[in-house]
Amino acid sequence: MAHPVHPYFVPTAAVSAAAHRRRSAAVVREHSRTLAGMLLAAVVAAVLVVVDQLINTWVDGHLLVVWVILWSVAFAVLAVLAPTLRQVSDGAARRMTAWVAARRQRRAEAALWRLAQQDHRVMQELYVAGLVAEQRDAT
C-alpha cells in the first residue's frame, strides 16, 4: 500500500544538499571526460610529432612503412595512456570544483560579514549561532 508523502515535513536543507551533491558529481564527471579527451589528444599529438621526426631521419622513401609505424605508435599510446589520463583529469576536475566551491563560500561569508558590520541584528544572530555551535561541540 502506498503511503502519502508530505513534502512540507521533509527538511529542505537535507534534500537540497543531496541534490546539489548529485549535480556536482555529474558536473565533475562531465568536465573530467572532456579534460581527459583533451589531455589524451595533446599527448598523442606530441608523441606523434616526436615519432614522425625520428622516423623521417631513418627512412628514405618508404612512406607506407612510415605511415603504418606512425599509426601503430598512435594507437599504442592511446591504449596505454587513456586510463591514466582519465584518472588525472578526474582528480583535476574534482580539485577545481572544490576550489570553486570554497571560493564561492568565502565570498558569501565575506558578504555576510560586511552586512553584519552594518546591521547589529545580523551581528547578534551570528554571535548567537556561534554560541550554539560551541555548546553543541562541547556536548
Side-chain angles (χ1 to χ4, degrees), residues 45-56:
V47 168
L48 287 179
V49 167
V50 170
V51 169
D52 184 47
Q53 293 296 320
L54 288 174
I55 291 175
N56 279 339

Side-chain angles (χ1 to χ4, degrees), residues 91-107:
R94 258 190 234 101
R95 284 189 300 276
M96 182 62 95
T97 303
W99 177 76
V100 167
R103 185 170 176 234
R104 184 181 305 130
Q105 180 69 26
R106 282 193 307 268
R107 281 197 323 242

Side-chain angles (χ1 to χ4, degrees), residues 112-133:
L112 181 63
W113 184 248
R114 283 192 304 272
L115 177 66
Q117 287 175 335
Q118 295 173 357
D119 190 353
H120 71 281
R121 295 170 297 182
V122 176
M123 184 65 83
Q124 186 64 31
E125 287 182 19
L126 289 176
Y127 177 73
V128 170
L131 290 177
V132 168

Side-chain angles (χ1 to χ4, degrees), residues 32-53:
S32 68
R33 225 178 264 141
T34 305
L35 185 59
M38 291 173 56
L39 282 173
L40 189 59
V43 168
V44 169
V47 168
L48 287 179
V49 167
V50 170
V51 169
D52 184 47
Q53 293 296 320

Side-chain angles (χ1 to χ4, degrees), residues 18-100:
H20 178 69
R21 280 193 300 274
R22 281 193 304 272
R23 259 184 275 131
S24 67
V27 167
V28 167
R29 263 187 263 119
E30 182 61 35
H31 289 311
S32 68
R33 225 178 264 141
T34 305
L35 185 59
M38 291 173 56
L39 282 173
L40 189 59
V43 168
V44 169
V47 168
L48 287 179
V49 167
V50 170
V51 169
D52 184 47
Q53 293 296 320
L54 288 174
I55 291 175
N56 279 339
T57 60
W58 296 337
V59 175
D60 47 341
H62 301 289
L63 291 180
L64 182 60
V65 173
V66 171
W67 186 81
V68 169
I69 292 173
L70 189 66
W71 283 107
S72 299
V73 168
F75 287 123
V77 167
L78 282 172
V80 170
L81 293 181
T84 304
L85 289 176
R86 181 63 184 264
Q87 290 173 351
V88 168
S89 65
D90 281 345
R94 258 190 234 101
R95 284 189 300 276
M96 182 62 95
T97 303
W99 177 76
V100 167

